[in-house]
């Protein structure tokens, strides 16, 4: 217990000590080290976190993500900056040769620095991706923290083989969605909103769920969908009345809201247009976006066949 207390105390205090000496969020992971007395105790090792990650997190908590250098305030995206570096370094052949040399010398982080630029500049260059994967693998093997190690090894796999195909894993079931609060569901609809398609839309909708006595006002304004619990607009464009128990199968996708309207379990009062507009601007997410360039399948995954208001099963954050 004392070791746990001291490692987190040292992490917090020493990182802030270094920050007060001018060490930035982009440097602290190369500067912070626990004292030897803690390094020698297994309970202070990086089995469930990492010094590199957590030291940066401390600075981010107190000072934010920016290191105060204007050059890093609005940097180019990697796909835009990488071609400049590759051109100035003399092209892919020279970078590959130097990267292989650094790899063979065991200077993996130096090799990673230049090869990552090449892969972003040339995402179809499989030789470059394979060499960067070799580098990631060696760095991963050296890491004690499972989360850090797996980050490198997973990226190495995807660089060599692409993003794994098949169905996305499901870590929850209908009970999880049923347990979601209505306002949380409405919040997620706001996240799923395609703001480009919602340009110019403006409406106010009241939602009433009589069986649990909840009321919401939902507003579309400036391409943003917001909701307030316990409030009703005096002059809404539309009022939707549906029992929470009848809304849950809509959230789970076993029926559509239109089905509930047709059977009388949901009632629309006012102008139906906002309801139809909202249905048309909601998107379903697919988890096949790439984190490393050139790893996504040539044929993108189609969005799942889901009704507009269906809530996709959230992933588990339990760490199991």
């Amino acid at each position: 217990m004392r070791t746990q207390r001291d490692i987190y105390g040292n992490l917090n205090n020493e990182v802030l000590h270094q920050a007060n000496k001018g060490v930035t969020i982009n440097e602290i992971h190369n500067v912070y080290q626990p004292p030897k007395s803690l390094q020698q105790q297994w309970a202070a090792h990086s089995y469930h976190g990492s010094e590199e990650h957590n030291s940066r997190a401390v600075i981010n908590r107190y000072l934010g993500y920016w290191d105060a250098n204007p050059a890093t305030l609005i940097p180019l995206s990697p796909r835009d900056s990488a071609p400049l570096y590759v051109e100035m370094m003399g092209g892919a052949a020279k970078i590959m040769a130097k990267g292989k040399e650094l790899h063979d010398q065991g200077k993996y982080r130096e090799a990673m620095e230049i090869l990552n630029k090449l892969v972003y500049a040339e995402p179809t260059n499989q030789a470059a991706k394979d060499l960067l994967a070799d580098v990631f693998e060696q760095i991963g093997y050296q890491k004690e923290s499972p989360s850090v190690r797996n980050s490198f090894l997973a990226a190495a796999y995807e660089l060599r083989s692409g993003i794994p195909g098949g169905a996305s894993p499901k870590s929850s079931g209908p009970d999880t969605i049923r347990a979601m609060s209505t306002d949380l569901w409405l919040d997620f609809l706001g996240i799923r909103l395609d703001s480009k398609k919602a340009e110019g839309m403006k409406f106010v909708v009241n939602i009433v769920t009589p069986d649990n006595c909840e009321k919401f006002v939902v507003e579309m304004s400036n391409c943003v969908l917001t909701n307030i619990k316990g409030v009703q607009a005096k002059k809404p464009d539309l009022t939707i009345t549906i029992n929470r128990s009848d809304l849950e199968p809509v959230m789970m996708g076993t029926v559509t809201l239109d089905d509930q309207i047709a059977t009388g379990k949901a009632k629309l009062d006012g102008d139906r247009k906002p309801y139809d507009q909202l249905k048309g601007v909601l998107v379903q997410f697919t988890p096949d976006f790439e984190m490393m360039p050139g790893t996504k399948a040539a044929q993108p995954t189609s969005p799942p066949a889901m009704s507009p208001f269906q809530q996709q099963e959230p992933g588990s954050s339990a760490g199991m």
Side-chain angles (χ1 to χ4, degrees):
M1 295 286 288
R2 180 179 288 109
T3 299
Q4 285 285 294
R5 178 198 67 187
D6 291 347
I7 186 62
Y8 283 106
N10 179 264
L11 173 74
N12 183 81
N13 296 345
E14 179 62 18
V15 167
L16 292 179
H17 174 88
Q18 295 295 338
N20 276 282
K21 293 168 67 175
V23 178
T24 72
I25 192 170
N26 293 325
E27 301 168 313
I28 190 63
H29 53 286
N30 294 319
V31 174
Y32 172 72
Q33 281 191 332
K36 289 185 178 179
S37 59
L38 285 171
Q39 291 182 33
Q40 292 170 354
Q41 299 188 59
W42 68 265
H45 283 211
S46 296
Y47 301 124
H48 302 289
S50 73
E51 296 152 12
E52 297 96 336
H53 179 276
N54 293 348
S55 60
R56 300 185 76 184
V58 170
I59 290 188
N60 187 48
R61 177 187 181 189
Y62 291 103
L63 300 176
Y65 69 91
W66 184 41
D67 64 1
N69 181 341
T72 64
L73 181 57
I74 45 174
L76 289 170
S77 296
R79 284 179 174 83
D80 296 325
S81 64
L84 299 175
Y85 284 94
V86 170
E87 179 185 358
M88 290 183 293
M89 286 189 281
K94 288 188 176 182
I95 298 173
M96 289 288 291
K98 185 63 177 178
K100 185 67 167 62
E101 176 186 330
L102 292 169
H103 172 274
D104 293 344
Q105 293 174 354
K107 297 180 179 179
Y108 302 120
R109 293 178 66 195
E110 289 84 349
M112 174 177 65
E113 184 75 17
I114 62 172
L115 291 170
N116 189 56
K117 295 288 192 298
L118 176 55
V119 169
Y120 266 101
E122 300 181 7
T124 60
N125 188 333
Q126 191 58 50
K129 290 193 289 185
D130 288 344
L131 183 53
L132 181 57
D134 291 342
V135 170
F136 280 168
E137 207 165 49
Q138 292 303 316
I139 295 174
Y141 289 156
Q142 296 177 22
K143 293 300 177 183
E144 188 174 53
S145 164
S147 60
V148 175
R149 179 174 65 246
N150 291 343
S151 295
F152 281 96
L153 298 184
Y157 176 88
E158 291 186 5
L159 284 168
R160 293 185 179 120
S161 307
I163 299 174
S168 300
K170 296 294 184 182
S171 55
S172 63
D175 288 343
T176 303
I177 295 172
R178 189 179 293 113
M180 291 181 67
S181 63
T182 306
D183 44 322
L184 180 60
W185 174 69
L186 291 171
D187 285 342
F188 194 66
L189 292 184
I191 294 171
R192 288 176 49 209
L193 178 76
D194 186 336
S195 61
K196 292 183 176 61
K197 292 181 180 179
E199 189 72 47
M201 290 185 186
K202 188 174 183 180
F203 56 73
V204 176
V205 176
N206 282 340
I207 297 178
V208 183
T209 53
D211 60 342
N212 64 354
C213 301
E214 287 186 339
K215 297 179 179 180
F216 300 87
V217 59
V218 178
E219 182 177 4
M220 173 78 82
S221 175
N222 298 311
C223 305
V224 179
L225 190 71
T226 57
N227 71 86
I228 304 175
K229 185 178 180 180
V231 177
Q232 293 279 269
K234 293 182 179 179
K235 295 182 179 180
D237 299 296
L238 173 67
T239 297
I240 302 175
T241 304
I242 181 172
N243 284 329
R244 166 64 200 217
S245 59
D246 293 325
L247 181 61
E248 287 169 0
V250 175
M251 296 165 61
M252 290 185 282
T254 56
V255 298
T256 68
L257 188 52
D258 284 309
D259 292 333
Q260 302 294 61
I261 294 170
T263 59
K265 293 182 178 179
K267 180 182 178 183
L268 302 185
D269 291 314
D271 185 0
R272 180 189 169 95
K273 183 179 178 181
Y275 167 68
D276 292 325
Q277 285 182 317
L278 183 56
K279 283 200 304 181
V281 295
L282 297 177
V283 300
Q284 295 288 355
F285 301 121
T286 59
D288 62 344
F289 52 84
E290 61 184 28
M291 300 306 296
M292 294 302 300
T295 58
K296 188 174 181 178
Q299 296 296 327
T301 301
S302 299
M306 301 171 69
S307 63
F309 298 105
Q310 181 178 349
Q311 168 62 48
Q312 203 163 17
E313 293 180 14
S316 171
S317 59
M320 300 299 287

